[in-house]
Amino acid sequence: MELLFHPETEAALAAGKPVVALESTVITHGLPYPQNVETAVLMETAVREGGATPATIAIIQGQIHIGLTASQLEYLGRQSSDTVRKCSRRDIPLAVARQENGATTVAGTMILAHRAGIAVFATGGIGGVHRGHPFDVSADLGELARTPVTVVSSGAKSILDLPATREVLETNGVPVIGYGSDMMAAFFSRSSGLPVDARLDTPDEVAAVIGAHRALNLQNGILVTVPVPEADAFDADEAEMAIAQATQEADAQGIHGPAATPWLLRRVAALTNGRSLRANVALLKNNGRIAGQIAAALAQQ
Ligand code: PSU
Ligand code: MN
């Protein structure tokens, strides 16, 4: 399968310089236009500030792109979410063969980043086990079990069943690292109250773990969870009220499958007058910067 590289991404990879992959579902299904494109650009800038080259990954008319131009980002961001396939593992061949536009989820981005030779990937929150639907388990967890990419995120989205999600990560053999924290981050809020496997405080310490993982030739992913910056964190109780209401409404309306996560995020944003969005944008930027630093430390090893 041919990957189309942005020239800057290709040059960075060829020179052994640090590169950080970014997903595209957050652009097409996670945030409204134009905030989605603005945030995607801010996240790319944050990766650069951290010391790495950003590579946003997406499928445009059936072609897999590793790194997007500004106009490609704008094009994707303007598409209505129902015309863009949300691509996890099962969806990638469908989008490619049918020449569709496809936005890669955490799972889809991990697969394509690994193919492209990119080891570090930054996002907002991974998918997990849905509340009240123990068999709706995000493909992100399955991918973390089988693809050796380090995912820098603010934990799993708090719209999920976080204790169940934590258990599945453990079953799947995924090391969960708390970046500057003893607890797994909870997306809009700083702590889930669930312990991590190790607290690491610097990019070098994370790079050392990735290095050991590589030397052992382990084929699973690593999850680094970074709490949302204090100033932009969303009060956990307030977030919980909105999430509980949104979850009830989604169940009543029969919203499920791939539609569930985007629907819940949009509804929580409406119920909190956009305050959840502020936390979401802040954590995306912060995670991009830290992933850039981790990729830079890894390139130094
Ligand atoms: N994080 C966000 N916004 C999002 C997502 C994550 O802040 O839109 C996306 C990611 O692409 C993640 C996906 O992989 O939601 C999970 O969807 P599902 O639960 O259907 O697997
Ligand atoms: Mn799901």
Side-chain angles (χ1 to χ4, degrees):
M1 171 58 53
E2 206 192 335
L3 305 177
L4 293 181
F5 287 84
H6 187 291
E8 191 193 357
T9 312
E10 191 163 36
L13 286 169
K17 289 190 182 152
V19 176
V20 171
L22 301 172
E23 63 153 304
S24 41
T25 295
V26 64
I27 304 172
T28 53
H29 293 72
L31 296 166
Y33 181 84
Q35 218 170 351
N36 57 353
V37 176
E38 286 161 18
T39 306
V41 171
L42 288 174
M43 219 181 155
E44 291 200 345
T45 307
V47 169
R48 290 184 201 282
E49 282 166 12
T53 300
T56 302
I57 294 181
I59 299 172
I60 299 178
Q61 290 159 11
Q63 301 225 276
I64 298 173
H65 288 264
I66 311 293
L68 300 182
T69 63
S71 59
Q72 287 168 333
L73 260 186
E74 176 72 23
Y75 166 80
L76 261 191
R78 279 178 178 277
Q79 305 301 309
S80 116
S81 63
D82 39 288
T83 68
V84 181
R85 190 182 291 269
K86 182 177 154 188
C87 290
S88 290
R89 178 175 282 266
R90 71 159 185 197
D91 313 282
I92 295 173
L94 305 177
V96 168
R98 295 160 48 110
Q99 284 153 40
E100 295 172 355
N101 288 329
T104 51
T105 63
V106 169
T109 308
M110 286 180 78
I111 295 169
L112 299 177
H114 182 54
R115 283 289 164 90
I118 302 172
V120 180
F121 160 31
T123 185
I126 64 164
V129 183
H130 279 273
R131 295 187 185 190
H133 301 276
F135 295 104
D136 184 350
V137 179
S138 174
D140 296 352
L141 299 185
E143 214 52 55
L144 278 161
R146 66 193 294 185
T147 300
V149 167
T150 296
V151 180
V152 180
S153 78
S154 293
K157 287 181 290 271
S158 38
I159 56 171
L160 300 164
D161 181 336
L162 294 183
T165 300
R166 176 84 190 83
E167 289 292 342
V168 176
L169 286 165
E170 181 184 339
T171 304
N172 283 344
V174 180
V176 178
I177 292 164
Y179 193 80
S181 172
D182 297 307
M183 297 295 164
M184 195 169 152
F187 202 56
F188 303 134
S189 12
R190 287 178 56 86
S191 172
S192 61
L194 299 164
V196 292
D197 300 315
R199 172 188 175 140
L200 301 177
D201 294 318
T202 64
D204 282 323
E205 286 174 77
V206 179
V209 171
I210 300 172
H213 181 265
R214 233 182 224 176
L216 291 161
N217 198 24
L218 296 170
Q219 294 303 308
N220 55 287
I222 296 174
L223 182 65
V224 177
T225 84
V226 186
V228 57
E230 195 105 50
D232 302 293
F234 192 37
D235 179 74
D237 295 332
E238 259 182 86
E240 188 48 44
M241 266 169 41
I243 291 164
Q245 184 180 333
T247 306
Q248 260 178 12
E249 290 175 0
D251 282 340
Q253 294 181 37
I255 313 261
H256 62 270
T261 295
W263 193 93
L264 288 168
L265 286 175
R266 216 174 305 131
R267 189 67 188 125
V268 169
L271 288 170
T272 61
N273 293 319
R275 273 176 304 154
S276 68
L277 275 186
R278 193 181 124 198
N280 202 342
V281 171
L283 65 87
L284 282 164
K285 273 196 301 189
N286 192 50
N287 296 347
R289 188 175 48 83
I290 290 166
Q293 293 170 347
I294 292 170
L298 193 62
Q300 289 292 311
Q301 278 189 353

